[in-house]
Structure formats: structure tokens, C-alpha cells
Amino acid sequence: MLHPNMIVFYVTNPSESVNFYQKILGTKPLESSPTFAMFDLNNDVLLGLWAKHTVQPTPTTTPGSNEIAFTLQAKKDVDDLFNTWVKQGLKIVQQPTNMDFGYTFVATDLDGHRLRVFTPVQS
């Protein structure tokens, strides 16, 4: 069985994206070069940031077609992170709201990749 362990976002400027993700993740990249950087999201999943003009074969999707989801424990945690990201200047594309899967909001990174934060519906 395969176990995916990396999400890769194609970015315009890896160094600017590194600064952005350092700020929201609170950690430095595991590696960084002019065309690629990699962050440890947890012990099992990595986030790669790849300069889109160097990707082979050339990508055919646009930012916003995918998202990374961050699960938090409680509505208050979602609201607290929402307020922090607003203060940090992240673009918010969905205000905190209740949906069928839980309480959520969505922000975007510098290239328009979606960052969903949510707490699941409590059963």
C-alpha cells in the first residue's frame, strides 16, 4: 500500500513563499534552494514549494484547485487562528462558518493556494 507523504504547491517565488509559510507554520524549512523548499507539516507529511517555471512536465492546473486542511480541536481554536491570520494579512476567501463537516474558514497563500482550517462536527 502506498502512503503519500508530500504535498507540492507550484509557486511564483519560492523565497517569498518560504517567508509566508515560516510565518504561518512557525517553523523553518527542512531545505531551501532558489527553486524548491520543503517544510515538515508533521511527522508523516511534507509540504514542497516548487518554482512553477521549473516544474517538469509543465503543470496544467491553477492555484486554488487544491487545498491543505488543518484540523483544530475546537471552534475557539479556529476563531483564534482566523484572527491571527487576519492580523498577519492573509487573504481570507471564506469567513468562519458552519458546514456539514464542521466549523471552518479558508485563506490563501501568495499564489492563491487554499488553506482550510476546521474543527470537525462533534458527535
Side-chain angles (χ1 to χ4, degrees), residues 3-9 30-31 36-39 41 44-50:
H3 297 281
N5 66 345
M6 180 182 272
I7 298 162
V8 178
F9 281 163
L30 296 174
E31 66 177 72
F36 185 81
M38 185 170 53
F39 284 89
L41 295 180
D44 297 321
V45 180
L46 302 168
L47 172 63
L49 305 171
W50 193 354

Tab-separated table of all heavy atoms in Angstrom, residues 3-9 30-31 36-39 41 44-50:
chain	number	residue	atom	x	y	z
A	3	HIS	N	1.701	5.209	0.749
A	3	HIS	CA	1.348	6.207	1.763
A	3	HIS	C	1.887	7.560	1.309
A	3	HIS	O	3.075	7.861	1.510
A	3	HIS	CB	1.948	5.836	3.128
A	3	HIS	CG	1.422	4.555	3.666
A	3	HIS	ND1	0.195	4.455	4.272
A	3	HIS	CD2	1.935	3.308	3.658
A	3	HIS	CE1	-0.019	3.210	4.632
A	3	HIS	NE2	1.025	2.493	4.273
A	4	PRO	N	1.041	8.375	0.670
A	4	PRO	CA	1.510	9.692	0.235
A	4	PRO	C	2.064	10.470	1.422
A	4	PRO	O	1.516	10.421	2.527
A	4	PRO	CB	0.245	10.364	-0.312
A	4	PRO	CG	-0.673	9.242	-0.620
A	4	PRO	CD	-0.357	8.157	0.363
A	5	ASN	N	3.176	11.166	1.183
A	5	ASN	CA	3.797	11.874	2.296
A	5	ASN	C	4.235	13.297	1.940
A	5	ASN	O	4.894	13.946	2.740
A	5	ASN	CB	4.990	11.095	2.836
A	5	ASN	CG	6.113	11.003	1.834
A	5	ASN	OD1	5.936	11.270	0.654
A	5	ASN	ND2	7.280	10.615	2.303
A	6	MET	N	3.856	13.784	0.741
A	6	MET	CA	4.236	15.141	0.391
A	6	MET	C	3.166	15.794	-0.474
A	6	MET	O	2.645	15.181	-1.399
A	6	MET	CB	5.572	15.196	-0.352
A	6	MET	CG	5.978	16.625	-0.719
A	6	MET	SD	7.515	16.718	-1.642
A	6	MET	CE	8.658	16.802	-0.284
A	7	ILE	N	2.872	17.040	-0.140
A	7	ILE	CA	2.019	17.906	-0.951
A	7	ILE	C	2.962	18.910	-1.586
A	7	ILE	O	3.841	19.457	-0.904
A	7	ILE	CB	1.000	18.638	-0.063
A	7	ILE	CG1	0.088	17.638	0.631
A	7	ILE	CG2	0.205	19.668	-0.873
A	7	ILE	CD1	-0.637	18.198	1.829
A	8	VAL	N	2.819	19.160	-2.891
A	8	VAL	CA	3.682	20.119	-3.572
A	8	VAL	C	2.808	21.215	-4.166
A	8	VAL	O	1.853	20.937	-4.891
A	8	VAL	CB	4.520	19.456	-4.689
A	8	VAL	CG1	5.357	20.494	-5.410
A	8	VAL	CG2	5.402	18.362	-4.110
A	9	PHE	N	3.137	22.454	-3.820
A	9	PHE	CA	2.493	23.617	-4.425
A	9	PHE	C	3.488	24.257	-5.380
A	9	PHE	O	4.667	24.443	-5.034
A	9	PHE	CB	2.099	24.645	-3.369
A	9	PHE	CG	0.838	24.338	-2.617
A	9	PHE	CD1	0.576	24.993	-1.432
A	9	PHE	CD2	-0.111	23.437	-3.082
A	9	PHE	CE1	-0.592	24.754	-0.725
A	9	PHE	CE2	-1.280	23.179	-2.382
A	9	PHE	CZ	-1.522	23.847	-1.199
A	30	LEU	N	12.862	22.515	6.038
A	30	LEU	CA	13.879	21.472	6.188
A	30	LEU	C	15.002	21.680	5.185
A	30	LEU	O	16.157	21.362	5.452
A	30	LEU	CB	13.264	20.089	5.957
A	30	LEU	CG	12.204	19.645	6.943
A	30	LEU	CD1	11.583	18.327	6.485
A	30	LEU	CD2	12.797	19.498	8.330
A	31	GLU	N	14.618	22.175	3.998
A	31	GLU	CA	15.608	22.515	2.988
A	31	GLU	C	15.055	23.657	2.153
A	31	GLU	O	13.843	23.858	2.070
A	31	GLU	CB	15.955	21.320	2.099
A	31	GLU	CG	14.830	20.826	1.228
A	31	GLU	CD	15.261	19.689	0.317
A	31	GLU	OE1	15.464	18.576	0.831
A	31	GLU	OE2	15.385	19.926	-0.894
A	36	PHE	N	13.236	25.465	-4.875
A	36	PHE	CA	12.455	24.497	-4.107
A	36	PHE	C	12.706	24.670	-2.614
A	36	PHE	O	13.816	24.958	-2.183
A	36	PHE	CB	12.825	23.063	-4.513
A	36	PHE	CG	11.987	22.014	-3.856
A	36	PHE	CD1	10.737	21.699	-4.349
A	36	PHE	CD2	12.446	21.349	-2.726
A	36	PHE	CE1	9.945	20.726	-3.731
A	36	PHE	CE2	11.677	20.387	-2.108
A	36	PHE	CZ	10.418	20.073	-2.613
A	37	ALA	N	11.641	24.480	-1.845
A	37	ALA	CA	11.754	24.453	-0.383
A	37	ALA	C	10.816	23.382	0.145
A	37	ALA	O	9.834	23.019	-0.520
A	37	ALA	CB	11.404	25.807	0.213
A	38	MET	N	11.132	22.875	1.332
A	38	MET	CA	10.325	21.803	1.908
A	38	MET	C	10.147	22.035	3.403
A	38	MET	O	11.114	22.304	4.121
A	38	MET	CB	10.999	20.449	1.674
A	38	MET	CG	10.192	19.278	2.130
A	38	MET	SD	10.882	17.698	1.573
A	38	MET	CE	12.573	17.788	2.114
A	39	PHE	N	8.888	21.944	3.853
A	39	PHE	CA	8.534	22.075	5.266
A	39	PHE	C	7.994	20.749	5.778
A	39	PHE	O	7.331	20.005	5.045
A	39	PHE	CB	7.432	23.128	5.454
A	39	PHE	CG	7.908	24.534	5.348
A	39	PHE	CD1	7.938	25.169	4.121
A	39	PHE	CD2	8.308	25.241	6.474
A	39	PHE	CE1	8.366	26.479	3.998
A	39	PHE	CE2	8.739	26.555	6.370
A	39	PHE	CZ	8.767	27.168	5.138
A	41	LEU	N	5.221	19.269	7.809
A	41	LEU	CA	3.916	19.623	8.369
A	41	LEU	C	3.611	18.812	9.624
A	41	LEU	O	2.938	19.285	10.530
A	41	LEU	CB	2.811	19.420	7.333
A	41	LEU	CG	2.872	20.327	6.110
A	41	LEU	CD1	1.729	20.016	5.161
A	41	LEU	CD2	2.856	21.789	6.517
A	44	ASP	N	4.576	12.796	9.310
A	44	ASP	CA	4.253	11.964	8.158
A	44	ASP	C	4.066	12.727	6.854
A	44	ASP	O	4.026	12.124	5.795
A	44	ASP	CB	2.969	11.168	8.423
A	44	ASP	CG	3.119	10.199	9.581
A	44	ASP	OD1	4.189	9.590	9.700
A	44	ASP	OD2	2.163	10.068	10.368
A	45	VAL	N	3.887	14.049	6.905
A	45	VAL	CA	3.547	14.815	5.706
A	45	VAL	C	4.464	16.028	5.552
A	45	VAL	O	4.691	16.772	6.503
A	45	VAL	CB	2.078	15.285	5.744
A	45	VAL	CG1	1.721	16.086	4.493
A	45	VAL	CG2	1.137	14.102	5.894
A	46	LEU	N	4.967	16.198	4.316
A	46	LEU	CA	5.822	17.328	3.982
A	46	LEU	C	5.085	18.258	3.019
A	46	LEU	O	4.198	17.829	2.281
A	46	LEU	CB	7.104	16.837	3.312
A	46	LEU	CG	7.950	15.861	4.128
A	46	LEU	CD1	9.029	15.238	3.240
A	46	LEU	CD2	8.568	16.548	5.325
A	47	LEU	N	5.481	19.521	3.019
A	47	LEU	CA	4.973	20.496	2.060
A	47	LEU	C	6.137	20.980	1.217
A	47	LEU	O	7.107	21.536	1.742
A	47	LEU	CB	4.327	21.690	2.769
A	47	LEU	CG	3.928	22.864	1.857
A	47	LEU	CD1	2.853	22.439	0.846
A	47	LEU	CD2	3.459	24.045	2.693
A	48	GLY	N	6.050	20.746	-0.087
A	48	GLY	CA	7.060	21.234	-1.015
A	48	GLY	C	6.570	22.477	-1.719
A	48	GLY	O	5.397	22.577	-2.083
A	49	LEU	N	7.449	23.441	-1.905
A	49	LEU	CA	7.159	24.672	-2.643
A	49	LEU	C	8.124	24.717	-3.812
A	49	LEU	O	9.328	24.892	-3.625
A	49	LEU	CB	7.350	25.897	-1.735
A	49	LEU	CG	6.555	25.885	-0.425
A	49	LEU	CD1	7.002	27.034	0.465
A	49	LEU	CD2	5.055	25.944	-0.704
A	50	TRP	N	7.612	24.551	-5.030
A	50	TRP	CA	8.449	24.380	-6.216
A	50	TRP	C	8.212	25.546	-7.165
A	50	TRP	O	7.063	25.838	-7.511
A	50	TRP	CB	8.092	23.061	-6.872
A	50	TRP	CG	9.029	22.545	-7.917
A	50	TRP	CD1	10.118	23.162	-8.440
A	50	TRP	CD2	8.951	21.277	-8.553
A	50	TRP	NE1	10.725	22.358	-9.364
A	50	TRP	CE2	10.018	21.192	-9.463
A	50	TRP	CE3	8.069	20.205	-8.457
A	50	TRP	CZ2	10.239	20.075	-10.268
A	50	TRP	CZ3	8.285	19.107	-9.252
A	50	TRP	CH2	9.370	19.039	-10.150
